[in-house]
DNA sequence: GTCGTTTGCCAACAACCGTTGGCAACGGTA
DNA sequence: TACCGTTGCCAACGGTTGTTGGCAAACGAC
C-alpha cells in the first residue's frame, strides 16, 4: 500500500544545526503550490501529475518520490484549516456577518478550498475530507454558540449548505449574479441567514 | 465538429404509419438511462463510455453512433427542466416553502440534476448548462415575483446559492446532518431564507 | 580525494480511454 | 426472390494516464 515515501531525515546525523531544511524542500513546495493550482482549476481527474510537474518545472517521477501517489499528493495539497475565529462573546446579531465575511476572505486568499470543493464532486477521499472539515471545525465552533446542544449539528449543516452553496456558485459555477457581486453586498444578504441558522428559533415542520 | 450523427428518419418513406418508433429507440433509452446513472454517480470524467455501454448491455460503439461523442451523450443525458410552478399569486410568506419543497421533490425523483451538479465541477459544458438552467428558468420565475426589477437577478442568484448548496451537501457530499434530515424539517429551516431572498428588503452593505 | 546519500531526469511499462471502420445478421420493401 | 437501410458486435487505432527502475550529476561527511 504505502510506497515507502522518502519522508524521514538522514539517518544517524542531522545535515545542519537547523533541523528543518533540505535541499529538496523548495521542490516539494513548488510541487504543492502547482498541485493546489491545478486541482483548483481542473478538479482531481483532469489535473494530471504530468501537468503539475510541468508547472513546478520538475520531472513527474519526482512527484511520485516525494508524495507516493496522486492520492498522496492530493491529500497533502488539500490540507485545509478554516481558521474560524472565536465565536463566543460575539454580540447578538453580529455572528452571521462575522462568519460570512470570514469565509469569503478565507476563500479569496487561498485556493485550497476551491481545489477541495472541485475535487469532492468526483473523488471520495476529497468528499470525506470535506465532511471532516465541516463536521469537526465548523461543527465544534457552532456547538459553542448554539442555544440548543442537540440542535447544533443540524445548525452547522445548514450553515455549511449556505456557505458551500455560495462558494459553488461564486467560484466553481461562476453564476454571474453571485460571481460578480461585491463581497460586502453578499455579506449583507447572507449574514441574516447564517445568523438565524446559528441562533434562531428551531424550525418546526408544519 | 459534428460527427454526422444518425439522427434522421429513413429516406423517402416512413417505416410505419406511427412516425415516432424505431427498433433502436429502446437501445437509445437504455443508453440514456445508464448514462444518467453513471454521470450522477461518478461525474463526467470517471463515467466512461465503456461502463455506460456495459450497463445498457450494448457495445460502446453504439453510443458513438447514436450520440456522436461523449460530450454529445452528456448533452442529451443532462437535459433538465426545473419544472418550476407558477409563482405569481402565491400568498405572502408561502413562496419559500413552496420553492424549497419543489426543489427537494424534483431532485429526489430525478437523478439528472445530481449528474449535472457532479459534472459541472470539472466539465465546462456542464457548468454552462447549469448557469443557463438557473439564469433562464429560475431567473425569469423570480423576475415575476421580485419587488424590484433591477434586483431580480441577484435575488435569483442568492436562491440558487442556497438551493445548490443544499443539493451539494445532501446528495453529493452527503454531510450527515443535511443528508439524514427529514425533507419537511429542511423545508421548515430553509424556506424563510428563500422567502427573504425573493421578496425581502434589499440588503445594503453597512 | 572517496564514499554513500540525495536529487533529478529519462525511457519505458501496462492499463485505460474515446473513437473508428468493417462486417455479419436482421427486417421491411419491392 | 433480391435489395437496401438499420442494428449490433468485434478488433483495433492513437493517445494519455499513473507509475516504475535505472542512471548520472551534485552534495556533504570524513
Amino acid at each position: 500500500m504505502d510506497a515507502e515515501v522518502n519522508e524521514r531525515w538522514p539517518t544517524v546525523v542531522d545535515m545542519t544545526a537547523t533541523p528543518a531544511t533540505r535541499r529538496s524542500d523548495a521542490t516539494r513546495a513548488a510541487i504543492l503550490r502547482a498541485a493546489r493550482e491545478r486541482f483548483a482549476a481542473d478538479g482531481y481527474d483532469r489535473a494530471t501529475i504530468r501537468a503539475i510537474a510541468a508547472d513546478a518545472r520538475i520531472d513527474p517521477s519526482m512527484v511520485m518520490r516525494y508524495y507516493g501517489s496522486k492520492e498522496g499528493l492530493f491529500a497533502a495539497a488539500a490540507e485545509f484549516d478554516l481558521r474560524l475565529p472565536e465565536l463566543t462573546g460575539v454580540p447578538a446579531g453580529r455572528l452571521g456577518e462575522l462568519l460570512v465575511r470570514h469565509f469569503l476572505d478565507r476563500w479569496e486568499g487561498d485556493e485550497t478550498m476551491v481545489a477541495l470543493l472541485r475535487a469532492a464532486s468526483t473523488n471520495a477521499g476529497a468528499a470525506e475530507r470535506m465532511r471532516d472539515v465541516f463536521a469537526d471545525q465548523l461543527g465544534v465552533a457552532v456547538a459553542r454558540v448554539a442555544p440548543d446542544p442537540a440542535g447544533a449539528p443540524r445548525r452547522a449543516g445548514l450553515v455549511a449548505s449556505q456557505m458551500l452553496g455560495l462558494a459553488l456558485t461564486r467560484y466553481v459555477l461562476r453564476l454571474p449574479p453571485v460571481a460578480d457581486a461585491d463581497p460586502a453586498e453578499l455579506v449583507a444578504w447572507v449574514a441574516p441567514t447564517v445568523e438565524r441558522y446559528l441562533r434562531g428559533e428551531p424550525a418546526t415542520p408544519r
Side-chain angles (χ1 to χ4, degrees), chain A:
Chain A
M1 173 62 92
D2 46 7
E4 182 59 41
V5 181
N6 185 351
E7 191 57 61
R8 30 182 173 51
W9 303 105
T11 42
V12 186
V13 184
D14 291 5
M15 290 173 54
T16 68
T18 55
T21 55
R22 286 192 286 185
R23 259 187 316 132
S24 61
D25 283 352
T27 304
R28 284 183 153 82
I31 294 174
L32 225 49
R33 180 152 32 89
R36 271 191 264 261
E37 263 179 49
R38 283 282 177 178
F39 283 132
D42 302 337
Y44 184 83
D45 295 299
R46 283 167 126 92
T48 68
I49 288 195
R50 284 172 158 87
I52 292 169
D55 289 355
R57 298 180 201 283
I58 47 94
D59 191 86
S61 63
M62 303 299 294
V63 177
M64 303 302 298
R65 182 175 294 168
Y66 291 139
Y67 294 98
S69 69
K70 187 180 182 181
E71 283 280 351
L73 172 63
F74 179 80
E79 203 82 47
F80 193 70
D81 186 346
L82 288 176
R83 296 191 199 161
L84 290 175
E86 179 55 49
L87 299 184
T88 55
V90 176
R94 288 293 175 83
L95 208 53
E97 181 189 335
L98 177 74
L99 257 186
V100 177
R101 193 186 306 276
H102 176 81
F103 272 108
L104 285 176
D105 284 350
R106 191 79 186 81
W107 289 337
E108 309 270 350
D110 186 346
E111 56 199 346
T112 307
M113 185 62 193
V114 178
L116 198 50
L117 182 54
R118 265 225 165 80
S121 288
T122 49
N123 184 272
E128 188 185 345
R129 174 157 312 199
M130 190 72 104
R131 280 194 296 271
D132 289 347
V133 165
F134 277 83
D136 296 350
Q137 302 182 34
L138 184 61
V140 303
V142 168
R144 293 165 59 85
V145 296
D148 47 346
R154 175 146 316 161
R155 292 175 184 272
L158 289 162
V159 173
S161 82
Q162 174 62 92
M163 297 318 298
L164 286 176
L166 204 57
L168 180 74
T169 48
R170 185 173 170 89
Y171 305 111
V172 176
L173 299 181
R174 310 200 73 82
L175 209 66
V178 180
D180 302 340
D182 194 63
E185 202 138 4
L186 288 179
V187 170
W189 273 105
V190 178
T193 297
V194 174
E195 181 81 29
R196 185 170 58 83
Y197 288 163
L198 285 175
R199 294 198 210 172
E201 279 296 299
T204 53
R206 19 172 312 115

